[in-house]
Amino acid sequence: MKLQGVPEPKNPMLNHVVLERVFELAEFNFESFANYRLVCKQWYETSLPTWRKKTWLSVTARSYDDGIPVADYLQHLKSQDHRLVNVPFRKYIICMWHNAFHDFEGKLEPEKLEFWKTVGQHITHLCIDFCSFHTTTNLRKILFEFTPNLQSLILSKNSYLDYGYNGQLQNLEEEQEEVSLNVNSHLTELKILETYGDFPISWTDIIRSFPSIKSLQVIELDPTKGTRSLITLLKTVELLRIDNPHCLANLVELRLLELEGNRRNTFTLELATLLKRLQFPLKVLTLDVGAENDIFNVRQALQLVLEGYAETLEELTFAKKVRSFQSHDFPYGINFPKLIKFSSTGGFVQNLKFLKHMPNLELLHLEQNAGQIYLRHFGDYWSSLVLLNNLKEFKITAASCTEKQIIFLGKMMPNLTNITIGLRNKFSFKTLCRIWKDVKYLNIYTLNESEDAYWNSEKAYIQSNMKNLKNLKSLKIGESIIYGEGILS
């Protein structure tokens, strides 16, 4: 019975304060937030700040590329209901622009310049992808003038040429302008991926302008010069530290990949010596471990770097194609007390003895043949040698494991909850279910269509052995999810 004068209780999910907090705490997912905005006008308006803060917006120079053309976007900004000032987009992908301000013939395009002047101050995350810069000034203006609040910068697959469209140096009026190098203390993440042509900005300018960089990723910076550009970067830091000892003192994440270009000698002693001498406070390190014809020198270089950073590293990755050298004595007697994630590709490690030097691992990913790491050596001696109680996630890809190998791994890693593994047959699956009863996410990868067909024919057997997995949330075999959300029949 309703009491007179007592208001109806309101739905908390229509309370503006509650909704703001919900959208603030919710993990951002593009499809979920798209659905939130369809619930009602209030949900749309309250979720809009999160949507525009998290969503990447692709802006192109031409109408037939994916994304919104720059001219159309500028027109949209001028509409009364856009709300750019109150709720601006923060993350932009600039893709397939022939140049930052000009067309193919070198003529100034006012729309492009207007875009940077209008939007640049709002940008916190910027990815410039598949663009070409025929003048250094254009790129310098974007980075040092138009985006003062930039936090993350990705320069991906861009072409940098200091020559005009007819092979001559540009002689444009704005090319004569001075570009002031303003200090941006907001930028903490810098990625430079697959550069074509000499990188047009000096490392001195970058380091001085972005002193707060915490994460640096370099992939194939200069394909024609191998690691020389990277060595130049490190030497620049060393020189700048003479006047400023705290130069790049916040760098905790360093990823160096595919640096060899036309050279085979990738990870050199000179590079390793500089890295060790600079003593960045690295927590995350990803390295290209070198080519197979430089085994001795690369081993020395790798050992030198690991000795310098073993005490601080929390995540270590060796990334290389299959034709890399193989290390039988890694990690050279070095202990990693804080390491919680280790990944290796290309058959780099040759046994599991190294795990005793990483007692606190929580994630282990080995991309190689199971036999290459001597899983066939099964016995009490091996299982007592290494016990990883903290390990929750394990991935071994590129080959299938036998029942004995599953038992061996179970003794080393008894508490796994997330497993990616190839299995030899259905009996290996039964053994896995018996050993890791607390597994939550199980991914059985397959290498070809015949393996997919085999597992598809054994669905009844699989389901009968899944009964012991009380905490299982997802089971994926090949490309099919046979248990969990998004189930595929």
Side-chain angles (χ1 to χ4, degrees), residues 278-438:
L278 288 170
Q279 278 298 294
F280 299 117
L282 292 184
K283 294 182 179 180
V284 179
L285 178 62
T286 298
L287 289 176
D288 183 331
V289 297
E292 59 184 1
N293 60 341
D294 297 306
I295 297 175
F296 179 74
N297 287 335
V298 175
R299 182 195 181 283
Q300 281 188 306
L302 187 59
Q303 183 172 354
L304 195 64
V305 171
L306 295 180
E307 287 173 348
Y309 293 100
E311 293 296 322
T312 61
L313 283 179
E314 297 176 7
E315 181 178 336
L316 176 61
T317 300
F318 296 136
K320 192 67 179 77
K321 297 176 181 178
V322 175
R323 293 178 62 81
S324 65
F325 81 97
Q326 298 170 342
S327 179
H328 295 268
D329 52 353
F330 171 81
Y332 323 118
I334 304 170
N335 292 318
F336 299 85
K338 296 183 179 180
L339 199 69
I340 59 175
K341 295 182 180 181
F342 176 74
S343 301
S344 170
T345 64
F348 174 72
V349 298
Q350 285 294 290
N351 58 66
L352 294 185
K353 290 182 179 180
F354 72 91
L355 292 174
K356 69 179 180 180
H357 298 281
M358 306 173 182
N360 297 309
L361 277 186
E362 296 177 10
L363 181 149
L364 174 63
H365 180 193
L366 303 175
E367 186 178 302
Q368 58 194 80
N369 189 296
Q372 287 180 328
I373 54 174
Y374 302 148
L375 288 181
R376 62 180 179 271
H377 291 293
F378 166 73
D380 291 336
Y381 168 74
W382 282 90
S383 61
S384 61
L385 183 65
V386 181
L387 181 61
L388 302 174
N389 282 319
N390 295 332
L391 197 69
K392 300 298 182 183
E393 183 172 355
F394 175 64
K395 300 179 182 181
I396 180 167
T397 52
S400 300
C401 292
T402 64
E403 290 176 79
K404 279 192 173 183
Q405 290 169 343
I406 295 295
I407 295 171
F408 167 67
L409 291 171
K411 290 189 174 184
M412 292 182 63
M413 315 164 184
N415 300 316
L416 294 181
T417 58
N418 191 327
I419 303 171
T420 298
I421 198 167
L423 299 177
R424 186 67 55 86
N425 51 44
K426 66 180 183 180
F427 304 110
S428 300
F429 179 83
K430 180 179 181 180
T431 303
L432 184 151
C433 294
R434 175 175 56 83
I435 292 175
W436 289 299
K437 293 181 180 180
D438 293 328

Side-chain angles (χ1 to χ4, degrees), residues 73-88:
Y73 185 55
L74 287 171
Q75 190 64 34
H76 182 56
L77 295 183
K78 296 173 184 178
S79 64
Q80 294 181 353
D81 61 345
H82 181 72
R83 313 177 199 182
L84 173 68
V85 176
N86 296 325
V87 191

Side-chain angles (χ1 to χ4, degrees), residues 184 187-190 203-218 230 232-238 240-241 244-254 275 278-282 309:
N184 178 352
L187 191 136
T188 59
E189 180 183 50
L190 175 61
W203 286 115
T204 301
D205 288 348
I206 290 177
I207 295 167
R208 282 178 173 169
S209 301
F210 307 128
S212 301
I213 293 175
K214 293 183 179 180
S215 174
L216 175 63
Q217 178 169 328
V218 180
L230 182 59
T232 300
L233 160 63
L234 298 178
K235 286 185 175 180
T236 300
V237 176
E238 196 168 40
L240 291 175
R241 282 187 174 178
N244 180 10
H246 301 293
C247 178
L248 281 193
N250 298 318
L251 189 66
V252 295
E253 181 175 338
L254 181 62
L275 277 173
L278 288 170
Q279 278 298 294
F280 299 117
L282 292 184
Y309 293 100

Side-chain angles (χ1 to χ4, degrees), residues 72-106:
D72 293 348
Y73 185 55
L74 287 171
Q75 190 64 34
H76 182 56
L77 295 183
K78 296 173 184 178
S79 64
Q80 294 181 353
D81 61 345
H82 181 72
R83 313 177 199 182
L84 173 68
V85 176
N86 296 325
V87 191
F89 279 94
R90 306 283 187 179
K91 300 181 179 182
Y92 287 85
I93 300 173
I94 307 303
C95 184
M96 300 297 290
W97 288 30
H98 181 66
N99 213 318
F101 309 114
H102 305 91
D103 62 14
F104 281 92
E105 297 178 354

